[in-house]
Amino acid sequence: MHVAFYVSGHGFGHSTRAIVTVSALAESGHSVTVVTVSPPGLFADIQMRFPDKIALRRDSRALDPGIAQKDAVTVDLGKSVADMWAFLVTWEQVRDEEIEWIRASNVDCVVLDAPFVPAVAARICGVPSILISNFTFDTIFEGVFALDPSNHQAREVCKLLKELYSHTDYLLRLPGAIPSALFDSKDRSCEHSSGSFERAAADAADTSQTASFASNACIQENTQHALQMLARAALPNPSPQNIQSVNKAHDSHRARVFNMPLVVRMAKTPRLEMRALLGIPLDACVVLVTFGGHNVTPSTPDRVPSPVKQLLNDEDGDDDVHDMKAALSGIDASSGAESVRNNVLIEISAHLNSAAEEATSFSDSFGQLIPDGWHALICVPGPKGDLLDDFIESNDASRVTIAIGSSYVPDLVQASDVVVGKCGYGTCSEVIAHNVPLVYVPRPAFVEEEGLVHNLMKPFGMSTEMPQKEFYAGKWSEYILRAFRLKEHGPAAKIRLDGAAVAVNHIEDIVLVRRSIVKTK
């Protein structure tokens, strides 16, 4: 089987989790072409392990522009919309190019994390498309449009993204998902769990006791049943000539949804051995700081984009926002309720209100970055002159270690006692898998974060939110110690970590069922 695996260009998180599934596919004997713009070094290890099974195709045109950021935790709303709009202007040309490549490469299945144009190409080619993600970009941009309803460009972006994603045949929904009107089913009759992020008995069991989880045979049986129900409806017209004919084929189609266990990278080097390699005292309390090399100093004194200011200054809805924040704390990403999705969007507004207040009271004082006696392990420091760089320059080398750029981050996570960073899927999944508390800094207007906080970190991790005001002022110590104390009780529940193996089972079954249906036609 030849799988085309399209990986979003937004940050490295999509690539690092895709690597786990790509590796599992290669181990099962399948060939994978990874379409990516991430540095080739990220995939070097698995390419060395499977030189005849894994190939890279570096092509940004087939992917997406992602979300623009001003600094480590501030989303650039205006640029994000403009970039996506510019990308979508040529989507039909990209579709045609991908149709040609998929056919020429004899692709059996298209996997998406989480690009959208290849889903249309796959449907025209008669190849199943499978989205593996905790979010879709249409939902992300719905958050932008909710904040600025007069932004007609954002509205058109949302509309077109939703249309393109609607061609997806299947969704393998990762833990920490946010609600999606496109994929969520009100009656949930088209959803199936493979040991999902929902707090079912299997997920709450001790992950060391694998017998407590559903067997692969049970998972495959459920998958086969679901696939047989959908397979014929998902088939495209025999020879569609354009997007209109494809529309007719999927008018009554809704992507089949499978709730997944965690897809996550695991450490390779034992904790103490890694500390010794890094030159960190074996008995030290260690905090890992990871912001992907982004600036950790405010990009501007007023970090809230101007289109949102008017909304933020409207205080009439303060009580409503408070009520919605309370309601959001218990959302279930798989529920699909429209009210829940609205709560997520309202939560963005609340975060932006907070960010606006923090911007006006920003202090140049660094405070105390890490607690006394602690050791700082820094993964990819920011530019010269930012807060983190000043901390490195002002502290003795015996208290600070800078990891080399090629470091395998899960090893660094396991070697640490607390992680400070952004609340992205990669960071959240890796701290949960290695039982390490997280101090995260909220990113206003980034909708994905709400699902990761409320549907992943709260039930299955240990986390503390550090306000942006304290983050930019360099007053991290209190939050690091607060997170460290969470280890006394541990997470509320455990979650399965075998999402990559389950994903491979689903992909294999989907292709087998599609082939069997096609042969009988």
Side-chain angles (χ1 to χ4, degrees):
M1 178 173 69
H2 181 201
V3 177
F5 207 122
Y6 291 81
V7 185
S8 173
H10 177 67
F12 295 157
H14 293 272
S15 292
T16 56
R17 72 186 182 193
I19 285 170
V20 186
T21 305
V22 169
S23 179
L25 282 165
E27 287 176 352
S28 297
H30 306 300
S31 298
V32 185
T33 299
V34 182
V35 186
T36 180
V37 291
S38 294
L42 280 175
F43 298 88
D45 180 60
I46 60 172
Q47 281 194 291
M48 289 178 61
R49 289 171 55 204
F50 306 103
D52 300 326
K53 295 293 183 184
I54 299 175
L56 291 187
R57 173 188 158 206
R58 292 180 57 77
D59 188 348
S60 61
R61 284 174 51 76
L63 302 174
D64 56 78
I67 302 297
Q69 293 183 217
K70 291 184 176 181
D71 54 47
V73 296
T74 307
V75 176
D76 190 330
L77 297 179
K79 189 174 189 307
S80 295
V81 173
D83 288 351
M84 184 61 78
W85 179 259
F87 176 84
L88 290 172
V89 167
T90 61
W91 82 266
E92 290 172 310
Q93 180 181 343
V94 174
R95 174 204 62 199
D96 293 342
E97 291 172 355
E98 292 312 298
I99 290 171
E100 183 178 349
W101 180 79
I102 289 170
R103 287 172 172 165
S105 304
N106 295 315
V107 170
D108 297 295
C109 181
V110 166
V111 178
L112 309 163
D113 182 5
F116 32 86
V117 175
V120 185
R123 177 162 278 275
I124 293 175
C125 292
V127 173
S129 60
I130 306 170
L131 178 65
I132 305 181
S133 184
N134 58 308
F135 75 93
T136 52
F137 281 105
D138 63 303
T139 308
I140 299 296
F141 280 92
E142 278 182 351
V144 176
F145 180 58
L147 290 170
D148 186 17
S150 64
N151 190 328
H152 300 296
Q153 197 172 70
R155 179 179 61 188
E156 291 304 310
V157 163
C158 293
K159 181 180 178 180
L160 183 51
L161 287 176
K162 198 176 297 292
E163 163 63 21
L164 297 177
Y165 273 121
S166 72
H167 293 270
T168 306
D169 292 324
Y170 303 90
L171 169 62
L172 305 188
R173 182 163 49 196
L174 295 178
I178 54 177
S180 168
L182 181 62
F183 292 108
D184 287 333
S185 168
K186 291 183 179 180
D187 61 9
R188 304 182 65 186
S189 61
C190 68
E191 294 184 16
H192 298 264
S193 293
S194 304
S196 73
F197 53 84
E198 298 172 300
R199 291 184 227 187
D203 291 327
D206 187 341
T207 53
S208 64
Q209 300 177 12
T210 55
S212 66
F213 298 130
S215 67
N216 282 340
C218 178
I219 290 171
Q220 289 177 333
E221 181 179 352
N222 290 337
T223 305
Q224 288 285 353
H225 174 70
L227 295 177
Q228 292 290 351
M229 292 171 58
L230 180 70
R232 290 188 183 277
L235 286 173
N237 289 340
S239 56
Q241 300 299 316
N242 51 44
I243 194 66
Q244 284 75 26
S245 55
V246 177
N247 282 341
K248 296 178 182 177
H250 83 276
D251 278 345
S252 61
H253 164 67
R254 179 186 290 273
R256 183 69 55 180
V257 178
F258 295 90
N259 292 326
M260 296 290 290
L262 207 61
V263 175
V264 58
R265 296 187 300 174
M266 299 301 297
K268 302 174 182 178
T269 308
R271 174 183 169 92
L272 295 182
E273 181 180 337
M274 191 66 201
R275 286 194 173 198
L277 290 171
L278 293 167
I280 297 174
L282 301 185
D283 59 349
C285 287
V286 178
V287 55
L288 172 64
V289 181
T290 172
F291 287 98
H294 286 289
N295 196 332
V296 296
T297 300
S299 52
T300 59
D302 181 359
R303 301 189 302 282
V304 183
S306 57
V308 184
K309 288 180 181 177
Q310 185 174 358
L311 177 63
L312 295 183
N313 292 331
D314 182 1
E315 299 178 356
D316 294 340
D318 284 353
D319 291 338
D320 291 336
V321 168
H322 177 78
D323 292 340
M324 288 299 184
K325 290 178 72 175
L328 185 63
S329 62
I331 68 170
D332 173 3
S334 65
S335 68
E338 187 69 18
S339 60
V340 172
R341 189 166 65 92
N342 291 338
N343 286 356
V344 173
L345 301 182
I346 290 174
E347 177 72 1
I348 307 169
S349 176
H351 267 317
L352 283 170
N353 270 307
S354 175
E357 294 169 1
E358 290 160 11
T360 60
S361 58
F362 172 70
S363 170
D364 289 329
S365 172
F366 292 155
Q368 189 173 6
L369 202 72
I370 68 171
D372 291 335
W374 279 61
H375 190 96
L377 173 57
I378 299 172
C379 181
V380 192
K384 287 291 183 182
D386 79 345
L387 187 152
L388 198 55
D389 178 66
D390 285 343
F391 171 80
I392 295 170
E393 294 295 328
S394 61
N395 276 272
D396 189 271
S398 63
R399 196 185 180 200
V400 180
T401 298
I402 301 176
I404 61 173
S406 59
S407 295
Y408 184 61
V409 176
D411 283 343
L412 304 181
V413 171
Q414 183 174 255
S416 304
D417 296 289
V418 172
V419 172
V420 176
K422 298 179 291 184
C423 202
Y425 181 90
T427 298
C428 290
S429 62
E430 288 167 13
V431 296
I432 287 174
H434 298 93
N435 204 38
V436 177
L438 171 68
V439 177
Y440 68 91
V441 185
R443 291 180 287 174
F446 203 69
V447 187
E448 179 195 12
E449 184 174 285
E450 300 306 324
L452 293 171
V453 170
H454 296 288
N455 294 325
L456 187 57
M457 289 308 302
K458 284 190 175 180
F460 304 115
M462 298 172 284
S463 62
T464 295
E465 178 179 313
M466 173 166 49
Q468 284 197 5
K469 175 182 177 181
E470 302 299 298
F471 168 69
Y472 284 123
K475 300 176 181 179
W476 302 4
S477 292
E478 174 188 345
Y479 301 94
I480 293 171
L481 293 174
R482 189 182 299 175
F484 184 66
R485 289 193 289 269
L486 294 175
K487 297 188 72 171
E488 296 174 5
H489 301 288
K494 296 287 186 180
I495 187 170
R496 285 178 55 174
L497 307 178
D498 61 341
V502 173
V504 171
N505 286 339
H506 285 324
I507 293 169
E508 290 175 338
D509 289 343
I510 286 167
V511 173
L512 286 174
V513 170
R514 176 61 67 90
R515 284 175 176 173
S516 68
I517 296 295
V518 170
K519 286 181 180 179
T520 61
K521 289 181 72 69

